Amino acid sequence: MDSIPVSQEIPIPLPILLDGGTGTGLFAYGYDRSVSAAQFVNLHPDALIKLQQGFIDSGAQVLYTATHGANCENLRAFGCEDRTEQLNASAAKITYDNFHDKALIAGCLSSTGLYIEPYGEYTFTEIMSVYRQQVSALSPYCDMFVIETVPTLWNMRAAVLACKKENKPIIATMKVDEDGDTDIGTNVLCALLVLQEMGISAFGLNCTSADLCPDIIAEIAPYAKIPLIVKPSAVYEKDGEKVSVSPEEFAFAVKKSVTNGARIVGGCCGAGKEHIAALRDMLGEIDYDKLPAIEKQDTTLALATENQMFFLDPDTTEFSPAVECGPYMEDDIAEMCSQSYDVLTVSINSPDDAIDFGRNMHMATLPVAFLSDDEISLKMALMLYQGRAIIDSNSLIEPEKLSAMAEKYGAVLY
């Protein structure tokens, strides 16, 4: 059995102070969402420079590029999808040219809004290509990548795989409700278990109410092998109206998340330079040696889908007989999952097998182990599976190649 967590560390020590809300911050300079934020800052670079200078003056150590939502699918709504590379590169260059010697620059990615089969009409590789286009444009002007406010695990995984080609730190954050779920049901702990094994550098919450963050951080901290983030919203809705949170209230709420395990903090919607300054002061007052110790949980055999976790005992785990793949394999999956096995074993020996299982994986109510004699097919199955899987070490593929696949896709070699 072999679990290989990998992560490229952010090259500054913890705790780390992120910036505030870029999109909402630009409202003060005339941004009205009639164009994308990337378009706006290209037309009005001084607005972004003034906003980000305020964050720097308040102590921010990381600035996000103004490219949230600037993938080609989102830019399609503004009729400028054919300018994706140019808009991303030029928006990121504004931040890089003015601040790369004062802060780390994080190339910002968000959701594509695309759904994979069978929930939608797109393949996982098509979604990954959307992210790859944006990542390639941002990479020359950033030190790291941030994937934020993404509600689906398949978009998160596609973005992570696209970013990994650049060999830079990757952080990922999600907007969740009081139960730790995104608006389509992806669970934050499931996402952590999957993404940290894929090699991201930090994980956490953004655009979530600051009051909700401490309990969620406390829930996921025992399972985290990487630093945890909170970048909450500084506004909330009450009786249909948006209410701003004062910098002092904001810092007080975020401090509870730090007490529970977060070590990277910042602000999202409505968080201005005053909120970042309040966070800076709060972080400076904490004696980290006196914070409560977090009892870590063993995640060696922790597997996950988008909304379900499985913690297996290596001494008692029972694997099913291998299910053969085919276009109509859903009945075989359901039958095997209805029995008393702990893990569903799936035989993958051709690219078509990988594709067939990818289209039917939503039928599996058990964690999945892949058994394969073909390296290319196994790689494809691991890429398409939206969770953390097991690679059966009985697969007739060289052990070093199995280990490399486990590392890239965050699987357990067992």
Side-chain angles (χ1 to χ4, degrees):
M1 179 175 57
D2 192 12
S3 174
I4 311 173
V6 290
S7 123
Q8 186 167 352
E9 290 186 358
I10 301 170
I12 53 177
L14 299 173
I16 295 171
L17 181 59
L18 305 173
D19 62 6
T22 301
T24 52
L26 290 171
F27 290 163
Y29 300 93
Y31 177 50
D32 60 3
R33 291 183 174 153
S34 60
V35 296
S36 70
Q39 289 173 280
F40 180 81
V41 300
N42 274 283
L43 294 170
H44 307 281
D46 288 348
L48 181 62
I49 294 167
K50 290 176 183 177
L51 176 67
Q52 293 186 323
Q53 183 64 58
F55 293 144
I56 291 291
D57 292 343
S58 298
Q61 298 165 281
V62 180
L63 295 176
Y64 287 16
T65 60
T67 55
H68 180 105
N71 59 65
C72 63
E73 291 302 318
N74 290 327
L75 291 177
R76 198 179 304 281
F78 301 102
C80 58
E81 67 274 14
D82 58 335
R83 297 173 55 209
T84 297
E85 293 95 334
Q86 180 262 320
L87 286 171
N88 277 272
S90 53
K93 190 174 186 297
I94 296 167
T95 301
Y96 178 85
D97 286 348
N98 288 276
F99 302 109
H100 77 273
D101 58 343
K102 301 174 183 177
L104 295 178
I105 311 301
C108 185
L109 315 170
S110 62
S111 181
T112 64
L114 303 181
Y115 282 68
I116 58 169
E117 303 167 313
Y119 311 109
E121 59 184 16
Y122 294 90
T123 67
F124 183 73
T125 52
E126 286 173 333
I127 297 173
M128 195 161 60
S129 294
V130 171
Y131 282 117
R132 186 66 198 144
Q133 180 188 35
Q134 189 180 11
V135 166
S136 296
L138 291 173
S139 189
Y141 309 104
C142 66
D143 305 291
M144 55 193 290
F145 295 100
V146 56
I147 307 160
E148 64 170 2
T149 332
V150 176
T152 65
L153 187 56
W154 62 77
N155 270 276
M156 274 288 195
R157 289 185 70 253
V160 168
L161 290 171
C163 291
K164 284 183 76 170
K165 292 181 179 292
E166 301 299 320
N167 196 31
K168 295 179 179 182
I170 304 165
I171 65 177
T173 57
M174 309 176 76
K175 178 182 179 180
V176 299
D177 61 19
E178 64 273 12
D179 297 319
D181 296 329
T182 69
D183 57 8
I184 70 154
T186 299
N187 180 265
V188 67
L189 179 53
C190 292
L192 167 66
L193 292 174
V194 172
L195 298 176
Q196 72 178 356
E197 298 297 339
M198 291 182 69
I200 68 170
S201 306
F203 176 84
L205 310 172
N206 81 290
C207 209
T208 301
S209 169
D211 291 335
L212 296 180
C213 290
D215 287 345
I216 297 170
I217 291 296
E219 179 187 356
I220 68 176
Y223 305 94
K225 301 176 182 178
I226 54 179
L228 295 177
I229 301 169
V230 288
K231 201 174 193 283
S233 175
V235 294
Y236 65 93
E237 284 200 13
K238 182 177 181 181
D239 300 327
E241 299 289 331
K242 288 190 180 295
V243 180
S244 296
V245 179
S246 73
E248 295 74 23
E249 292 173 315
F250 188 71
F252 180 78
V254 171
K255 184 176 181 179
K256 296 178 184 177
S257 289
V258 174
T259 300
N260 288 349
R263 293 294 180 270
I264 303 175
V265 304
C268 200
C269 300
K273 60 183 180 181
E274 298 84 4
H275 294 84
I276 302 307
L279 293 181
R280 175 200 61 203
D281 295 343
M282 177 271 293
L283 292 175
E285 294 169 355
I286 294 176
D287 185 342
Y288 295 91
D289 292 333
K290 293 183 179 179
L291 293 180
I294 297 169
E295 184 177 349
K296 294 294 184 177
Q297 299 295 317
D298 183 7
T299 59
T300 302
L301 260 183
L303 307 178
T305 62
E306 192 153 27
N307 52 24
Q308 192 171 4
M309 294 158 289
F310 308 88
F311 296 92
L312 304 181
D313 183 341
D315 297 323
T316 61
T317 296
E318 186 175 359
F319 290 71
S320 78
V323 172
E324 298 296 327
C325 292
Y328 307 105
M329 62 184 297
E330 62 266 26
D331 289 342
D332 293 335
I333 294 174
E335 171 62 23
M336 206 62 72
C337 289
S338 69
Q339 300 185 35
S340 58
Y341 300 111
D342 301 302
V343 177
L344 172 69
T345 303
V346 180
S347 180
I348 302 287
N349 290 302
S350 72
D352 284 343
D353 284 352
I355 293 169
D356 286 336
F357 182 70
R359 288 171 174 160
N360 290 281
M361 63 185 169
H362 62 287
M363 297 296 298
T365 56
L366 294 176
V368 171
F370 292 122
L371 178 66
S372 180
D373 298 338
D374 183 77
E375 179 184 355
I376 299 300
S377 301
L378 180 56
K379 285 181 179 179
M380 185 178 293
L382 290 166
M383 179 184 70
L384 296 178
Y385 181 64
Q386 303 306 318
R388 188 185 187 206
I390 287 174
I391 300 174
D392 192 324
S393 59
N394 292 314
S395 297
L396 299 181
I397 300 170
E398 293 91 332
E400 62 272 16
K401 290 182 178 179
L402 293 179
S403 294
M405 282 186 257
E407 178 176 348
K408 180 173 182 178
Y409 297 105
V412 179
L413 184 55
Y414 181 88

